[in-house]
Amino acid sequence: MTIIIKNTPDLILETFDYLNTPVFIVDSGLDKIVALNASVSFIFQYSAVDILDHDIRELIISCAVSRDLNDEHTPEYGPISNVLDEKYYGNILEAVCRKKNGDLFSANVSIIPCSTDNQRLVVIQDISTQKKIQQKACQRTKELSIFTSFAKILTSHKNSDAIMQETISMLLSIMGADSGWIYLMDDKAGNLHLKAYQGFNPHFIENVRTLNVGECFNGKVFASGRPLLVKKSSEDPRVIYRDNNMVSMISVPISSRGEVLGVLGISSQEASYFTSMDIQLLSPIGSQLGVAIENTRLIAELRSKMEQIELISELSGIINSSLSIGTIFRMMVSEIRKIIAYDRASLLLYNETENNLLIFALDTNMNTVLKKGIKAPIDNTSAGWVIKNNKPWINYDLEKSVFSQDKKLLREGILSTISIPLSHDRMLGVFNLDSTEVSKYSEHDLRILLPIAKHISIALENALLFDEISRDKKEWEKTFDAITDMVWTEDGKQRILRANQALLIKTGLSSMEVAGKYCRELLCKIGINSKDCLCSDTVAYKRPSFRELKGTGGNIFHFWAYPLIDEEGRLYAIVHYLKDVTAQKRLEQQLIRADKLASLGTLVAGIAHEINNPLGIIAGYSEALLERSKEKTLLDNRQFEDFPEYLDTIHKEIFRCKGILKSLLDFARSSGGTFREIDINELIKEVILLVNNKAIKLNHTIDLQLNRDLPKICADPGKLRQLFMNIIINSIYFTPEGGGIFLVTEMDSNSQDGDMIKVSVSDTGSGIPEEIIDKVFDPFFTTKPPGDGTGLGLAICHKIIEEHHGTIDVENEKDKGIKFIIRIPARAQDDTSSCS
């Protein structure tokens, strides 16, 4: 198209002014501006006088043929003189224009030849806004494509290496980059390691596999935690290592929950290829990638924890299956081998008297002189160091061991060891795993073995206790036979079950012959004739009875009958004791009853079994959960914020359990507990946390009415926790489902013993019959079914209150169940430990 402008230039310029379109008339020979409309002055901020006769290239500084608006690549620009050729007439050219103040803007330029005067019409259309919209659209399209592809990568892989490699490939593909990389921080080495890359020269990789923090471009991104953009690497001093693909670069931190884990970067062979918008695009990718990497780590740790939990659960069953430490050891090392490999496993018992270690159990296929039964010294051995310090020890290389006696293992081919102390109220021994490989064991193995060691300690303690009880039983049998007076037991039908040697000698019968005979037959052989049943009162009233008997030869005997009652109150046997007191009638001696010792041993064994098993389970799980609760990802979870407190409470309660086995002794003498200043309201809240789960299962409600103005008291917190735990659990047990337990704390200033803190615990149960309410604090008295209680709970509570110089009372509430009233001095007593 050619425009005729002779004698009508003003008309044409005004016409374009109506269209708000800047127009120049340019001399085709000299490219000088010969005319312009008002719109030019408005956009370029020049007056007509300022730019007339000026070169058009002062305003249009570069020009290129316009491309498709959807084309994401930027066209190459050049001087406008390159496109003023006639072949471009009528085309729309894309140009960069400069205003008077120096600002640049994008415009479409159309060059229209004129039919006369050898002039050209240059039409300008500002497309800055359109270009910005176009760039944003392209950027949004790129973002959507990247985020969609990245989401697919995250959901399709559970392995962090695969996620990182596919992320690099995806970014290079979508963003048109030439190379990419991911560095992750190695906490142990303290530097960055190249974990994924693409487009690198093989020789270049060897130079950049590891980077120090703060070193070169990527190290600075990690150190600062901020993204960096390099437009031309050869001119940027931060870029130390680069190859031909790395002219322009962009790198962003990989982070998770505020912690920088590594660096993500891409590069191009073109200078100034990346912009700040690319930083905005890659930054969230770095954050999400950090979360994904952290999650894969957590999943791996979780799987490891699950394996440990399964192992601990399996070991718990093993411990309950036998009281033979040798059998338990063989079963346990078989399970441990599934997770931790070893060439030799051993259990060494500590002999405190001789101050040495005994190899009690061994599992190995190696030829060894250090066999079961061999004693090892404490000094100059790693196992001895473990005993002295009650801490684990890892020998990474026995060639470098500081313990000279460990060289015996080295001579047998052992190169690394791990030793775990076994203790339960006292040092018991050491559990060892040995390997023929250097640095076989690590801190990770230690974290697995420590909770296992607790179970081994419990099993060992139980086995040693069982051996002790077995020895007591043998001693009882020897004592039974060593008694010079006649003792025998008979069943409920008065048939002999067992007789001691004194009776056998007196009657001339063997132990086989005496079994099954009736009591009167034995008495006849001794010279005692009695038509009546000597133990009729014992059988009728289930109580001991005594008689003085005269023999046919004039001898005088004292005869005792003692009933043996089972847990259901049934008489199942009677112990008879016959003593010839002819020469010493008035001399009454009370022999130590061997069966009493055996009964007490059985009771202690039962308590130990009931407490040690849950203690071991709690110890193992609390140790694993406490370790997990320190992880930042869990602490950031609001739903988890109460869990560390719960776990810490569980952990504290484990140590309280150590004193339970001494509860029977506490009835005979006071056990000097640790008294300190405590807030009784807070202590009650801690106890409620422990029992609340049990109450919820039974649909119970626990109502607390705690007086906040109560003074602190001087008390043993462990004993008071046990006190309230026993009472509240007792209320939960005897309260029907859906009932309520109510706790009230208040001052009792009217007490005769001075200012006292009063704690009331009541429930909506059925109460206690009046005829037995005075017996509830008696030792071994219980209304629970056999197997559900020992009758010591409330008796222990009474003892604890006595130690605190307080009182405890119980009463039935009308239509509301039972109510316990506890009073504790509001001030420290003179005879208690001082409180600071």
Side-chain angles (χ1 to χ4, degrees):
M1 179 183 69
T2 301
I3 296 179
I4 301 174
I5 63 172
K6 188 174 183 180
N7 300 323
T8 60
D10 293 338
L11 179 60
I12 293 175
L13 296 176
E14 289 177 4
T15 301
F16 279 100
D17 269 331
Y18 281 118
L19 299 175
N20 293 321
T21 302
V23 173
F24 295 97
I25 298 177
V26 180
D27 182 279
S28 62
L30 300 175
D31 294 333
K32 300 293 184 180
I33 301 172
V34 297
L36 65 153
N37 65 355
S39 296
V40 170
S41 299
F42 177 76
I43 289 180
F44 285 88
Q45 301 173 356
Y46 283 100
S47 66
V49 175
D50 290 337
I51 57 176
L52 279 175
D53 294 329
H54 282 251
D55 195 320
I56 188 68
R57 285 170 289 194
E58 295 181 16
L59 302 181
I60 305 176
I61 61 174
S62 62
C63 195
V65 177
S66 178
R67 299 178 180 271
D68 186 346
L69 294 179
N70 294 323
D71 190 345
E72 64 180 8
H73 297 289
T74 304
E76 295 184 3
Y77 284 79
I80 190 172
S81 56
N82 293 346
V83 294
L84 289 180
D85 192 271
E86 292 183 3
K87 65 179 180 179
Y88 291 107
Y89 287 179
N91 289 344
I92 298 176
L93 307 178
E94 189 173 315
V96 177
C97 302
R98 180 188 289 123
K99 298 181 181 181
K100 183 178 181 180
N101 61 5
D103 291 345
L104 303 179
F105 66 93
S106 299
N108 281 342
V109 177
S110 299
I111 303 174
I112 304 173
C114 302
S115 61
T116 60
D117 298 330
N118 196 23
Q119 294 178 338
R120 287 166 292 187
L121 199 66
V122 180
V123 181
I124 306 295
Q125 182 183 4
D126 187 354
I127 60 170
S128 299
T129 303
Q130 181 182 358
K131 289 286 289 185
K132 291 180 180 178
I133 294 173
Q134 174 189 349
Q135 290 174 355
K136 288 183 179 179
C138 291
Q139 187 71 14
R140 292 295 178 265
T141 301
K142 186 187 297 183
E143 289 177 359
L144 181 60
S145 178
I146 289 176
F147 290 147
T148 302
S149 301
F150 188 56
K152 291 180 180 178
I153 292 172
L154 294 181
T155 56
S156 60
H157 294 284
K158 296 180 180 179
N159 182 279
S160 60
D161 292 336
I163 291 174
M164 290 187 290
Q165 193 60 54
E166 286 206 19
T167 300
I168 292 295
S169 299
M170 177 270 295
L171 290 176
L172 298 189
S173 175
I174 296 177
M175 299 188 70
D178 297 300
S179 59
W181 59 88
I182 289 178
Y183 283 92
L184 290 184
M185 183 63 182
D186 186 333
D187 293 328
K188 291 184 179 179
N191 53 24
L192 294 166
H193 279 237
L194 185 63
K195 293 295 184 180
Y197 58 89
Q198 185 173 324
F200 279 9
N201 186 303
H203 299 291
F204 176 73
I205 295 174
E206 298 304 321
N207 297 326
V208 295
R209 285 195 182 276
T210 60
L211 295 176
N212 294 324
V213 176
E215 180 185 7
C216 84
F217 180 63
N218 291 294
K220 293 183 183 301
V221 172
F222 180 86
S224 66
R226 297 178 180 178
L228 287 179
L229 173 65
V230 172
K231 293 187 176 182
K232 194 171 183 179
S233 60
S234 60
E235 299 175 355
D236 196 313
R238 296 173 298 185
V239 181
I240 300 175
Y241 306 108
R242 63 178 178 273
D243 65 5
N244 295 332
N245 291 335
M246 303 173 67
V247 177
S248 60
M249 298 184 292
I250 186 172
S251 185
V252 298
I254 297 173
S255 60
S256 175
R257 295 159 180 85
E259 180 184 0
V260 180
L261 306 178
V263 176
L264 164 66
I266 56 176
S267 66
S268 173
Q269 296 180 8
E270 299 181 25
S272 301
Y273 186 80
F274 303 109
T275 67
S276 60
M277 297 182 70
D278 294 314
I279 291 180
Q280 297 176 8
L281 174 60
L282 286 182
S283 293
I285 297 296
S287 298
Q288 292 300 316
L289 186 60
V291 172
I293 292 171
E294 189 68 17
N295 286 343
T296 55
R297 288 179 181 175
L298 291 176
I299 291 172
E301 292 177 3
L302 179 60
R303 288 174 179 169
S304 176
K305 293 294 184 183
M306 289 301 296
E307 290 178 354
Q308 295 178 35
I309 292 172
E310 289 177 4
L311 175 60
I312 291 172
S313 178
E314 187 69 26
L315 293 179
S316 298
I318 292 173
I319 290 173
N320 294 329
S321 65
S322 174
L323 284 173
S324 168
I325 190 60
T327 301
I328 291 174
F329 174 80
R330 288 190 296 272
M331 297 172 69
M332 290 178 71
V333 293
S334 176
E335 293 298 322
I336 292 173
R337 190 189 288 272
K338 296 176 182 179
I339 296 181
I340 304 176
Y342 64 84
D343 296 297
R344 170 191 171 101
S346 58
L347 177 63
L348 286 72
L349 295 186
Y350 174 52
N351 188 324
E352 188 174 3
T353 304
E354 298 180 6
N355 195 32
N356 60 21
L357 291 164
L358 174 69
I359 301 178
F360 183 80
L362 183 68
D363 180 64
T364 184
N365 293 324
M366 301 175 63
N367 293 324
T368 178
V369 297
L370 302 175
K371 298 180 179 180
K372 180 179 179 181
I374 297 296
K375 294 181 179 180
I378 295 294
D379 296 331
N380 296 319
T381 61
S382 54
W385 184 92
V386 170
I387 288 292
K388 290 179 180 179
N389 297 276
N390 194 17
K391 295 179 180 179
W393 178 268
I394 300 177
N395 272 318
Y396 295 100
D397 187 353
L398 282 181
E399 290 278 5
K400 304 174 182 178
S401 176
V402 297
F403 304 105
S404 58
Q405 293 292 334
D406 285 356
K407 300 297 182 182
K408 294 180 180 179
L409 289 171
L410 182 62
R411 287 194 289 270
E412 295 192 344
I414 299 299
L415 296 179
S416 60
T417 67
I418 185 169
S419 303
I420 310 295
L422 303 177
S423 61
H424 191 250
D425 295 337
R426 62 189 176 98
M427 185 55 65
L428 302 174
V430 180
F431 178 69
N432 278 349
L433 291 181
D434 309 326
S435 174
T436 56
E437 301 178 24
V438 175
S439 299
K440 176 66 176 179
Y441 305 110
S442 64
E443 294 293 331
H444 174 73
D445 300 312
L446 196 61
R447 288 193 294 270
I448 295 175
L449 289 175
L450 282 176
I452 294 175
K454 295 182 182 296
H455 289 266
I456 300 176
S457 301
I458 293 170
L460 184 57
E461 178 76 8
N462 287 343
L464 295 175
L465 182 59
F466 178 74
D467 289 342
E468 183 178 346
I469 293 173
S470 297
R471 289 193 298 270
D472 289 345
K473 180 177 180 297
K474 292 178 181 179
E475 291 178 3
W476 172 82
E477 291 174 346
K478 291 179 181 179
T479 304
F480 185 75
D481 287 333
I483 298 174
T484 56
D485 297 316
M486 293 164 281
V487 182
W488 70 95
T489 59
E490 62 181 44
D491 60 18
K493 297 180 180 180
Q494 300 180 354
R495 289 177 299 194
I496 306 300
L497 297 174
R498 182 169 182 170
N500 71 343
Q501 287 295 319
L503 180 61
L504 296 178
I505 293 171
K506 190 72 173 178
T507 59
L509 300 174
S510 66
S511 58
M512 297 292 292
E513 291 173 334
V514 77
K517 290 187 178 296
Y518 287 94
C519 178
R520 59 178 176 271
E521 296 179 59
L522 289 182
L523 293 176
C524 287
K525 288 184 173 291
I526 295 170
I528 300 174
N529 294 321
S530 177
K531 297 181 181 179
D532 300 329
C533 177
L534 299 180
C535 54
S536 57
D537 287 347
T538 301
V539 174
Y541 301 108
K542 300 177 183 179
R543 63 189 181 190
S545 59
F546 168 79
R547 291 194 183 193
E548 186 173 288
L549 306 174
K550 290 185 178 182
T552 55
N555 291 343
I556 300 175
F557 298 90
H558 281 177
F559 175 81
W560 289 269
Y562 301 94
L564 298 180
I565 311 297
D566 62 17
E567 294 179 349
E568 297 179 357
R570 293 177 298 190
L571 178 72
Y572 67 91
I574 301 173
V575 177
H576 295 296
Y577 182 81
L578 185 66
K579 181 178 180 64
D580 188 343
V581 293
T582 304
Q584 46 185 12
K585 180 180 178 181
R586 295 186 180 181
L587 181 61
E588 297 181 358
Q589 297 180 345
Q590 184 152 12
L591 300 174
I592 299 175
R593 300 294 307 277
D595 61 321
K596 286 284 186 181
L597 293 175
S599 298
L600 181 59
T602 302
L603 177 61
V604 173
I607 293 175
H609 180 73
E610 290 297 321
I611 291 179
N612 282 336
N613 284 340
L615 178 63
I617 295 171
I618 294 170
Y621 279 89
S622 68
E623 196 75 19
L625 292 174
L626 273 173
E627 196 67 23
R628 286 191 59 198
S629 69
K630 299 176 183 177
E631 298 173 4
K632 193 172 188 311
T633 53
L634 294 177
L635 294 174
D636 290 342
N637 189 337
R638 295 192 55 159
Q639 295 181 349
F640 188 79
E641 61 183 359
D642 292 332
F643 279 47
E645 180 183 353
Y646 298 166
L647 293 176
D648 186 58
T649 303
I650 293 173
H651 192 65
K652 291 178 181 177
E653 290 303 306
I654 294 175
F655 294 95
R656 184 178 64 82
C657 292
K658 294 193 299 184
I660 294 179
L661 289 178
K662 300 178 183 178
S663 59
L664 291 176
L665 295 176
D666 291 341
F667 289 104
R669 53 185 168 82
S670 180
S671 62
T674 302
F675 281 72
R676 61 182 177 86
E677 190 176 71
I678 64 170
D679 186 334
I680 195 166
N681 288 333
E682 293 300 319
L683 185 138
I684 290 173
K685 291 178 183 178
E686 291 178 13
V687 173
I688 295 303
L689 285 176
L690 298 175
V691 302
N692 196 45
N693 189 50
K694 186 178 186 69
I696 291 173
K697 289 182 179 179
L698 296 174
N699 199 26
H700 289 343
T701 57
I702 299 179
D703 183 25
L704 299 179
Q705 298 180 29
L706 307 179
N707 186 343
R708 297 182 179 180
D709 298 326
L710 293 179
K712 292 186 178 181
I713 63 172
C714 188
D716 182 345
K719 291 293 183 68
L720 288 190
R721 287 192 191 95
Q722 184 180 6
L723 164 74
F724 290 115
M725 180 80 74
N726 286 349
I727 293 176
I728 295 173
I729 289 179
N730 204 60
S731 294
I732 291 175
Y733 182 92
F734 286 105
T735 300
E737 185 173 352
I741 293 91
F742 307 89
L743 286 91
V744 180
T745 60
E746 56 188 344
M747 287 298 300
D748 189 4
S749 301
N750 298 325
S751 173
Q752 296 178 353
D753 298 323
D755 289 344
M756 307 284 281
I757 290 179
K758 177 181 175 183
V759 182
S760 302
V761 183
S762 57
D763 57 57
T764 58
S766 56
I768 301 176
E770 290 296 334
E771 59 268 21
I772 64 171
I773 196 169
D774 293 332
K775 300 180 181 180
V776 296
F777 296 112
D778 291 345
F780 308 107
F781 176 83
T782 180
T783 59
K784 294 180 180 179
D788 281 2
T790 62
L792 288 174
L794 294 179
I796 291 174
C797 293
H798 195 277
K799 184 68 177 179
I800 291 172
I801 287 299
E802 285 184 346
E803 292 176 355
H804 286 76
H805 305 282
T807 63
I808 181 170
D809 300 298
V810 60
E811 61 185 34
N812 280 313
E813 286 197 298
K814 185 177 181 181
D815 300 328
K816 288 187 179 180
I818 199 73
K819 182 178 183 179
F820 287 91
I821 302 171
I822 301 156
R823 293 179 175 87
I824 303 175
R827 297 184 301 273
Q829 300 296 314
D830 293 337
D831 55 349
T832 62
S833 300
S834 62
C835 293
S836 58

